[in-house]
Amino acid sequence: MARESFAIGNVRVRAGAARDVELPITRLVTGGDVSLPVRVVHGRDPGPVVWVSGAIHGDEVIGVEVVRELIATLSPKEFRGTLVAVPVVNVLGFMAGDRYLPDRRDLNRSFPGSPRGSLASRIAHLFMAEVVAKCEVGIDVHTAADKRANLPQIRADLDDPGTRALAEAFGAPVMVHARVRDGSLRQAATDVGAKALLYEAGEALRFDDESIATGVAGVRRVLAFLDMIDPDPVEASPVSLESRSTGWVRARSTGILNLETKLGAFVEAGDRLGGLSDTFGRRVRLVRADRAGIVIGLTRAPIVNAGDALVHIASVE
């Protein structure tokens, strides 16, 4: 018996096919339509329904490339289950190269949304109704905030056995047990019963090969774990370090920062991470690790004020 077609928006995608769908969001003041772009890969054989999304923050472009490269590797005739791929969720922010929507709202603090709320709330509601409500598992791709960089990492509820298994299958260098934030996609998805992973890697408005390749490979390992695709026969599954506690080392003085550590470095409490100098090069203060662990985030800003976050360290078990 043939598998049923997959309904999304006002279209149906037949089994064994892939189709691009535009979900209407709003209209520009010039009269043009703005839509949420979605690629549905509806496998010939039954299986789970999974979403992968990028650019909920419009300047976080790595997710767009992860989704683009991922779907290029998939054949709907050989796929089991359904993938709903959304490369750009915050379309207006993405077009402007801006983290936020035009009204300065953070889309990832606007879930589950409302059909009659703010623009952010309406987009969140659309995404929940047309994507999340149809899926059992989701992977949301993010990068560090402006002027920061992140080591590839998974953030998830590691106390939930099903979610933990997915995080382990992804195989990022680090998986962080992270609480959900009010209004986030991960919280809203969890509330309706979906298992959600958040993949963090790289910098805003920048592509980098390691972050993209790690993301694509990780999503494919999750799909293989769910038996939606065949596993890579030659790839050994990497083992993620687990962290239950992370913290930022903050500047204790204002100055010009010279970091001497890098993403992925292992440090001990008291290790020298860099230094702060004045504009004449006189050393103002050293920057030292406040805990043992692995560096999972860094500032890229050379000019810092007292209290600014400099180095993000995850304690690992």
Side-chain angles (χ1 to χ4, degrees):
M1 181 177 177
R3 190 180 181 209
E4 287 189 6
S5 58
F6 184 82
I8 184 167
N10 59 0
V11 305
R12 300 189 72 92
V13 183
R14 63 181 176 82
R19 184 165 176 180
D20 294 340
V21 181
E22 298 286 336
L23 302 176
I25 295 174
T26 188
R27 288 178 69 84
L28 297 172
V29 68
T30 55
D33 293 325
V34 179
S35 300
L36 186 70
V38 180
R39 167 74 64 86
V40 177
V41 181
H42 191 44
R44 179 175 288 169
D45 296 319
V49 185
V50 174
W51 94 79
V52 181
S53 54
I56 275 188
H57 295 128
D59 60 351
E60 297 184 354
V61 298
I62 280 175
V64 183
E65 187 66 7
V66 168
V67 173
R68 191 192 71 81
E69 292 191 15
L70 170 70
I71 59 180
T73 71
L74 303 178
S75 166
K77 290 181 172 54
E78 300 172 357
F79 199 69
R80 299 179 286 275
T82 304
L83 180 73
V84 183
V86 189
V88 182
V89 182
N90 183 353
V91 178
L92 292 167
F94 180 73
M95 289 190 295
D98 195 325
R99 180 179 178 87
Y100 303 113
L101 284 154
D103 62 0
R104 306 306 298 163
R105 289 180 187 267
D106 186 337
L107 180 54
N108 207 32
R109 297 294 179 269
S110 302
F111 286 89
S114 164
R116 296 179 181 82
S118 67
L119 178 59
S121 187
R122 293 176 186 219
I123 295 171
H125 177 266
L126 174 68
F127 193 86
M128 290 296 296
E130 292 290 351
V131 177
V132 176
K134 297 175 169 64
C135 296
E136 301 147 53
V137 171
I139 303 173
D140 189 29
V141 183
H142 288 257
T143 70
D146 186 35
K147 299 178 183 177
R148 291 182 181 174
N150 278 341
L151 182 75
Q153 60 197 262
I154 284 291
R155 298 182 184 178
D157 178 5
L158 300 181
D159 288 337
D160 176 70
T163 305
R164 183 188 182 90
L166 295 170
E168 291 174 343
F170 192 104
V174 180
M175 57 181 188
V176 179
H177 177 65
R179 65 179 180 83
V180 293
R181 298 195 175 194
D182 291 344
S184 68
L185 170 58
R186 188 159 69 94
Q187 181 192 50
T190 301
D191 287 346
V192 296
K195 307 292 187 187
L197 303 181
L198 190 152
Y199 174 60
E200 282 270 7
E203 303 179 49
L205 296 174
R206 298 285 186 275
F207 282 169
D208 77 83
D209 293 341
E210 178 186 4
S211 296
I212 294 166
T214 302
V216 174
V219 176
R220 284 185 57 84
R221 282 192 290 268
V222 171
L223 297 180
F225 174 79
L226 295 170
D227 196 33
M228 300 172 75
I229 61 174
D230 295 330
D232 187 333
V234 298
E235 180 189 286
S237 296
V239 177
S240 301
L241 297 172
E242 180 178 345
S243 176
R244 293 257 161 186
S245 173
T246 73
W248 282 92
V249 175
R250 295 185 176 273
R252 298 176 65 187
S253 299
T254 296
I256 297 174
L257 176 67
N258 179 27
L259 278 179
E260 300 166 16
T261 191
K262 61 183 181 180
L263 293 173
F266 289 93
V267 299
E268 297 293 336
D271 281 358
R272 176 169 160 168
L273 305 177
L276 291 165
S277 302
D278 65 16
T279 52
F280 296 103
R282 292 186 291 259
R283 179 55 52 84
V284 175
R285 189 181 291 272
L286 291 176
V287 178
R288 295 190 181 276
D290 62 353
R291 70 188 69 201
I294 183 172
V295 175
I296 62 169
L298 295 171
T299 182
R300 295 297 194 201
I303 303 168
V304 299
N305 292 298
D308 285 355
L310 305 182
V311 180
H312 197 189
I313 302 174
S315 302
V316 291
E317 300 183 5

